[in-house]
Amino acid sequence: MPPILDALFARSLYSSTNQISGFRLYSSGSGGGGGGVQENPKPFILKQCIALLLTCASSKYKLRQIHAFSIRHWVPLSSPDMGKHLIFRLVSLSGSMAYAHQIFTQIQSPNIFTWNTMIRGYAESENPSPGLHVYREMRVNSIEPDTHTYPFLLKAVAKILNVREGEKVHSVAVRNGFDSSVFVQNTLVHMYAACGHAESAHKVFELMPDRNLVTWNSVINGFALNGRPNEALTLYREMGLDGVEPDGFTMVSLLTACAELGALALGRRTHVFMLKVGLNENSHAANALLDLYAKCGSIREARKVFDEMEDRSVVSWNSLIVGLAVNGFGKAALELFKDLERHGLVPTEITFIGVLYACSHCGMVNEGFAYFRRMTEEFGIMPRVEHHGCMVDLLGRAGLLKRAYEYVQSMPMQPNAVIWRTLLGACTMHGDLALGETARARLLQLEPKHSGDYVLLSNLYASEQRWTDVQNVRRSMLKEGVKKTPGYSLVELGNCVYEFVIGDKSHSQSAEIYAMLEQIVKLLKSEGYAPRTANVLADIEEEDKETALSYHSEKIAIAFMLINTPVRTPITVVKNLRVCADCHLAIKLISKIYDRAIVVRDRSRFHHFRDGLCSCRDYW
Ligand code: ZN
Ligand code: ZN
């Protein structure tokens, strides 16, 4: 407690019981801030209170003490500056907004500063919605917003992801002539990007005459977060041409985009740049870098970043544990978890996602259950549906389908579509038609139009050669208007990321690619390869099926890389769907025949192919 407050409190001890009842009267006053007040505050006390508020920068408790003191000395909140400073301090200390609002309602005709402070307080709180109500109330009271109102308001809108409200605010800002302020424009870009409207963010950005680092970061991040990594990278290059130096935030956005695309070479260049300007010591950027290497399947580099990090948070540990697990290094992931414990760190829900995933993909059923128990009993983590999903996967992958089904039925929460889909996937893998149909029936109720489920079921029927059922599934798929998610594969070459779809002929090197594919098939057959046609939808003739298989996007992407990269260069492919059994077999053989390390990141895991083997040990 600062000495002045001591002195003031010492004096306040003399306050009489009469004043205490006065306080009751006062606090139940009619919102005007002084309903029951009969005495005027001594001017020096008001000054003291404000002086205290101005210096009280550290504690919410002290703030309450000052407030209590002011009440005891009849300082009404309606007096100039008192309420304003009190709310401002409260908001700056991230204090309770309910408390701030209570004070706010007692201020007679608050000025724009106070309205803005309230909007800011809500925007920065966990419940930003009332910020919009405050704004509306402000307009009803004929207070015109100023240049500070919009950034706070847009921040609140960005948090609640309500783009409609954001557009309304945008149009008011234009009408009032504030759309040319760089602060307003920056928050507009941020708001549109956060709401998933990357195009609108870009449009505002394009119209801006002055762009600073924040502007560039907002728009780059907008594209990176909204699944448009290519645009993010293009903008990053433009930023360089504009002479704007990137910072830690730029690096995080950029690395996120690279990780999404599997653009390892560009990610590495970003790393070199970070080392040059010393941004590698920024812990957020270092975590993003670690994540990039893990997501590009380069676990050795991820490990190196981890080992060289100065302050590793649990986020860093989690990135590497999950990274090791999904890359098929389950044992190493579990070792790292033990390391984390030895370092006295407390694992989080995400740590256990990695740990359970590791157990599941290594077929370690008992260990998985032991970790699940420790998670709940020892660390008090309430299992989320994702953790239960890992357990269903653990049992399902191990072929314990009956137990998996029992687990689903005894879950403490309603199993969602993801859980039933995991079970359906396991049934497809182990050929359990009856249970597969049960899971499918539940999925139809929960998510009737999910294309992946139709494909899984049709594959299940196809593996049993039940072609009529396959046809029925296809027909209902057409009838329901379900569209298959088109598969695509991404590869990075030079400064570009190339995308290929099934049977892709759009590339200028198309002829060479298909010639290469033919050569590959010939060589594969001499190695004893027979195409696994069971997964192809059944109405294609046998010969066509084989052709369709050789044109799966990952094979086209690999052929493209074999043509365009020197011998023995490793190849990394990012695929949006699960790799099929035929491609898996073919890529194993390609890795042997062409002597290439091939990494395929598919929707659920990583496959590291080398010398005719895959890290998943054909268990995925
Ligand atoms: Zn395939
Ligand atoms: Zn594999």
Side-chain angles (χ1 to χ4, degrees), residues 466-527:
R466 288 170 53 168
W467 306 124
T468 336
D469 289 320
V470 173
Q471 290 288 12
N472 287 340
V473 173
R474 289 211 69 196
R475 221 168 286 137
S476 60
M477 207 170 154
L478 292 173
K479 210 175 82 197
E480 303 289 329
V482 179
K483 286 209 179 73
K484 246 178 96 171
T485 314
Y488 63 79
S489 294
L490 304 172
V491 279
E492 186 191 28
L493 182 71
N495 279 338
C496 289
V497 173
Y498 294 89
E499 180 183 316
F500 294 96
V501 295
I502 185 167
D504 202 320
K505 294 209 167 135
S506 62
H507 197 272
S508 57
Q509 280 182 307
S510 215
E512 284 171 74
I513 293 171
Y514 282 89
M516 187 69 192
L517 278 170
E518 256 173 54
Q519 189 202 341
I520 291 173
V521 172
K522 221 177 272 166
L523 284 171
L524 289 181
K525 281 191 175 156
S526 69
E527 285 281 322

Side-chain angles (χ1 to χ4, degrees), residues 105 319 334 364 392:
T105 51
S319 289
L334 297 176
M364 295 159 63
V392 176

Side-chain angles (χ1 to χ4, degrees), residues 552 554 580 583:
H552 271 184
E554 52 269 57
C580 78
C583 287

Side-chain angles (χ1 to χ4, degrees), residues 313-584:
S313 62
V314 75
V315 175
S316 335
W317 287 84
N318 285 351
S319 289
L320 192 57
I321 291 176
V322 174
L324 285 164
V326 296
N327 275 285
F329 304 101
K331 296 244 159 60
L334 297 176
E335 275 310 309
L336 194 65
F337 175 76
K338 283 177 198 148
D339 236 25
L340 173 144
E341 288 199 285
R342 273 195 288 273
H343 277 77
L345 282 154
V346 181
T348 66
E349 330 179 305
I350 298 178
T351 325
F352 279 101
I353 297 271
V355 167
L356 296 176
Y357 192 102
C359 294
S360 166
H361 284 253
C362 291
M364 295 159 63
V365 177
N366 293 336
E367 288 86 343
F369 273 90
Y371 279 118
F372 190 85
R373 255 195 311 279
R374 284 193 64 199
M375 174 177 90
T376 52
E377 288 165 14
E378 195 178 326
F379 297 101
I381 297 172
M382 183 82 102
R384 294 161 59 117
V385 72
E386 289 85 353
H387 296 105
H388 290 297
C390 286
M391 300 312 282
V392 176
D393 193 51
L394 176 73
L395 293 167
R397 272 173 200 280
L400 304 165
L401 295 176
K402 202 167 151 268
R403 268 182 75 190
Y405 183 47
E406 282 163 7
Y407 189 96
V408 173
Q409 285 175 310
S410 65
M411 270 170 57
M413 58 191 73
Q414 204 65 20
N416 64 11
V418 179
I419 299 277
W420 288 113
R421 194 165 299 127
T422 306
L423 191 62
L424 176 57
C427 292
T428 313
M429 195 194 298
H430 297 287
D432 187 331
L433 199 54
L435 189 53
E437 278 173 340
T438 311
R440 163 82 183 134
R442 301 308 296 265
L443 275 169
L444 260 183
Q445 291 168 350
L446 292 166
E447 269 183 33
K449 288 198 173 176
H450 191 282
S451 68
D453 303 336
Y454 285 88
V455 177
L456 276 178
L457 189 69
S458 113
N459 288 349
L460 183 53
Y461 285 132
S463 65
E464 304 247 315
Q465 268 119 59
R466 288 170 53 168
W467 306 124
T468 336
D469 289 320
V470 173
Q471 290 288 12
N472 287 340
V473 173
R474 289 211 69 196
R475 221 168 286 137
S476 60
M477 207 170 154
L478 292 173
K479 210 175 82 197
E480 303 289 329
V482 179
K483 286 209 179 73
K484 246 178 96 171
T485 314
Y488 63 79
S489 294
L490 304 172
V491 279
E492 186 191 28
L493 182 71
N495 279 338
C496 289
V497 173
Y498 294 89
E499 180 183 316
F500 294 96
V501 295
I502 185 167
D504 202 320
K505 294 209 167 135
S506 62
H507 197 272
S508 57
Q509 280 182 307
S510 215
E512 284 171 74
I513 293 171
Y514 282 89
M516 187 69 192
L517 278 170
E518 256 173 54
Q519 189 202 341
I520 291 173
V521 172
K522 221 177 272 166
L523 284 171
L524 289 181
K525 281 191 175 156
S526 69
E527 285 281 322
Y529 159 84
R532 294 199 173 179
T533 50
N535 280 352
V536 187
L537 292 170
D539 59 350
I540 311 174
E541 289 302 316
E542 199 62 28
E543 198 185 325
D544 276 358
K545 260 193 244 176
E546 202 178 301
T547 332
L549 282 170
S550 60
Y551 297 158
H552 271 184
S553 64
E554 52 269 57
K555 285 196 194 127
I556 302 177
I558 289 171
F560 171 74
M561 291 303 274
L562 286 174
I563 298 169
N564 290 297
T565 53
V567 280
R568 281 200 275 282
T569 313
I571 297 173
T572 306
V573 182
V574 172
K575 164 128 206 216
N576 66 330
L577 304 175
R578 243 170 63 105
V579 56
C580 78
D582 177 71
C583 287
H584 196 266

